[in-house]
Amino acid sequence: KIGGDIHVLVAGQGAQAVAEAASKIAGVAKVLLADDAAYAHPLPENVAPLVVNLAKGYGHVLAAASKAVVRTVTTLIGSADFTVAMALPA
């Protein structure tokens, strides 16, 4: 377990409803919404810089994103460390 507050980033176009749904998830303390046409498709060159900028100050970043986005994030922060979780226990 990681512990502490859970903050969720929702990036997309027209993503307000998704952000509202995320805010209702048990344990979520804060939802960050990046609603822009640039995030309509989760391209690494658009999403990764956003994640890197927002990740400053966080100890852990968990992502429901493509491997390409995660690899680009780790490259931009200068780390090769990332783990892909295929399933999480209920």
Side-chain angles (χ1 to χ4, degrees), residues 9-23 31-37 39-40:
L9 167 63
V10 175
Q13 182 177 23
Q16 183 66 42
V18 176
E20 289 172 9
S23 72
V31 175
L32 306 168
L33 174 61
D35 195 331
D36 192 281
Y39 308 123

Side-chain angles (χ1 to χ4, degrees), residues 2-74:
I2 295 172
D5 287 341
I6 296 172
H7 297 177
V8 175
L9 167 63
V10 175
Q13 182 177 23
Q16 183 66 42
V18 176
E20 289 172 9
S23 72
K24 296 175 183 171
I25 297 171
V28 171
K30 182 177 185 179
V31 175
L32 306 168
L33 174 61
D35 195 331
D36 192 281
Y39 308 123
H41 304 285
L43 301 173
E45 58 268 23
N46 294 339
V47 178
L50 172 68
V51 173
V52 169
N53 187 48
L54 292 174
K56 296 173 184 169
Y58 286 92
H60 299 82
V61 176
L62 308 176
S66 70
K67 287 183 186 179
V69 170
V70 174
R71 285 188 177 128
T72 304
V73 168
T74 58

